[in-house]
């Protein structure tokens, strides 16, 4: 057990509780509101965020909190919880059962903890810095595929795909060289799947801190690599993310950076 064991338990309990809320709402899907053109925000995002904030702030009132639906309680605390109350909102809104709760914890800017829960599959992923990555208690390890040509990769496309620099050219380059490329719709789960060796790599151009915080700890603790496109260690406040089993990292970055 690591020094963050108590934080980990609080985060796991909160993720499972918020996941149960998502699942209940999923089966009684009702009002859907629109944020931007195709970014669906449901009452569920807000309810899950409120629940997570309640639980985490009750346990750690002196900590900072940053979450997708406008939560920014930032007072310069040593610890900052960075969470996405529902990652995979479009899937959720279309009743595709692939979404999650994602909770990361930073200590003085260093990621120390990640918890991701998919309530539809019951898969609870977690990792603590220096203590390994786990799925429902089983230790995770990234894949050992050494070559992009044999790799199953994943990516995502941001909501403003029609407006600014997007992933279409990179996607085309990579899909022609890899064994396959998936777009599952939840960046946090994509990262956990890299940690679990289900995907050999993942990239995306415009992620937010709450998409990446938890999954980055999972990838690292499972022996993988996670950087920006220039191969600098991941910074969750920077939008570009490339994660892999480490063995294909340089080759994947090379493909992403080809012009
Ligand atoms: C989105 C998902 C998706 C990714 C988008 C994210 P949301 O988060 O993680 O897989 O491609 O870039 O914005 O809106 O479902 O929380
Ligand atoms: Ca998200
Ligand atoms: Ca979200």
């Amino acid at each position: 057990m690591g020094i963050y064991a108590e934080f980990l338990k609080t985060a796991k309990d909160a993720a499972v509780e918020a996941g149960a809320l998502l699942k209940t709402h999923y089966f009684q899907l009702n009002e859907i509101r629109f944020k931007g053109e195709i970014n669906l925000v449901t009452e569920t995002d807000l309810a899950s965020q409120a629940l997570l904030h309640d639980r985490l702030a009750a346990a750690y009132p002196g900590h900072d909190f940053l979450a997708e639906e406008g939560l920014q309680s930032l007072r310069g605390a040593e610890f900052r919880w960075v969470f996405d109350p529902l990652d995979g909102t479009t899937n959720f809104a279309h009743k595709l059962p692939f979404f999650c709760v994602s909770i990361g914890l930073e200590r003085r800017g260093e990621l120390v903890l990640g918890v991701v829960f998919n309530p539809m599959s019951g898969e609870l992923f977690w990792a603590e810095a220096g203590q390994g990555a786990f799925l429902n208690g089983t230790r995770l390890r990234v894949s050992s595929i050494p070559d992009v040509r044999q790799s199953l990769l994943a990516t995502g496309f941001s909501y403003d795909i029609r407006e600014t620099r997007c992933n279409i050219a990179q996607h085309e380059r990579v899909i022609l060289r890899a064994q396959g490329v998936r777009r599952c719709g939840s960046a946090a789960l994509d990262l956990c799947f890299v940690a679990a060796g289900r995907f050999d790599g993942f990239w995306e151009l415009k992620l937010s801190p709450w998409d990446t915080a938890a999954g980055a700890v999972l990838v690292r603790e499972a022996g993988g690599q996670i950087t920006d496109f220039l191969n600098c260690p991941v910074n969750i406040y920077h939008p570009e993310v490339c994660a892999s089993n480490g063995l294909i990292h340089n080759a994947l970055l090379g493909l992403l950076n080809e012009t």
Side-chain angles (χ1 to χ4, degrees):
M1 284 230 285
I3 56 173
Y4 302 109
E6 187 210 308
F7 293 160
L8 188 56
K9 182 176 183 326
T10 306
K12 281 184 191 172
D13 289 349
V16 168
E17 201 184 340
L21 180 148
L22 299 186
K23 195 170 175 179
T24 304
H25 285 211
Y26 178 85
F27 286 115
Q28 38 176 253
L29 208 53
N30 41 29
E31 188 198 342
I32 296 171
R33 289 195 277 117
F34 287 84
K35 183 169 84 177
E37 190 186 355
I38 46 176
N39 186 356
L40 303 163
V41 175
T42 65
E43 295 304 324
T44 312
D45 295 80
L46 300 169
S48 176
Q49 177 167 297
L51 187 153
L52 291 167
H53 188 212
D54 275 3
R55 298 300 179 270
L56 297 172
Y60 309 112
H63 289 188
D64 282 352
F65 301 94
L66 176 66
E68 181 167 20
E69 307 307 330
L71 173 61
Q72 282 197 41
S73 171
L74 303 175
R75 296 160 295 179
E78 181 180 2
F79 289 98
R80 176 185 294 181
W81 295 91
V82 182
F83 60 93
D84 192 336
L86 168 47
D87 187 54
T89 302
T90 305
N91 287 347
F92 178 88
H94 288 266
K95 298 212 96 183
L96 181 68
F98 192 83
F99 51 85
C100 67
V101 177
S102 174
I103 304 176
L105 178 65
E106 288 183 323
R107 180 179 197 181
R108 294 192 201 94
E110 292 292 318
L111 289 166
V112 294
L113 213 75
V115 171
V116 174
F117 182 53
N118 175 350
M120 306 308 286
S121 67
E123 290 191 316
L124 179 65
F125 298 88
W126 74 85
E128 178 183 342
Q131 300 296 316
F134 298 85
L135 164 54
N136 294 343
T138 301
R139 184 93 187 234
L140 295 178
R141 179 79 205 156
V142 291
S143 76
S144 53
I145 300 278
D147 194 321
V148 168
R149 277 172 303 178
Q150 302 160 341
S151 292
L152 182 59
L153 305 172
T155 191
F157 298 83
S158 66
Y159 291 103
D160 62 358
I161 188 167
R162 297 185 196 125
E163 287 155 29
T164 51
R165 176 175 169 248
C166 75
N167 193 9
I168 291 172
Q170 286 175 321
H171 182 253
E172 185 177 335
R173 278 202 299 279
V174 177
I175 205 166
L176 291 172
R177 315 274 184 92
Q179 191 164 67
V181 178
R182 300 289 178 261
R183 194 286 193 244
C184 299
S186 164
L189 285 173
D190 290 333
L191 289 168
C192 289
F193 282 22
V194 173
R198 295 171 180 174
F199 292 143
D200 307 298
F202 163 78
W203 83 94
E204 203 167 328
L205 274 74
K206 292 185 198 162
L207 290 176
S208 297
W210 40 82
D211 298 316
T212 317
V217 189
L218 265 291
V219 170
R220 273 190 202 150
E221 288 298 318
Q225 208 172 331
I226 178 160
T227 68
D228 65 12
F229 293 173
L230 297 175
N231 213 7
C232 297
V234 74
N235 166 2
I236 61 169
Y237 301 94
H238 179 76
E240 290 173 4
V241 173
C242 178
S244 79
N245 63 6
L247 302 173
I248 63 159
H249 208 79
N250 288 340
L252 179 56
L253 285 177
L255 275 177
L256 296 177
N257 290 322
E258 255 178 35
T259 46

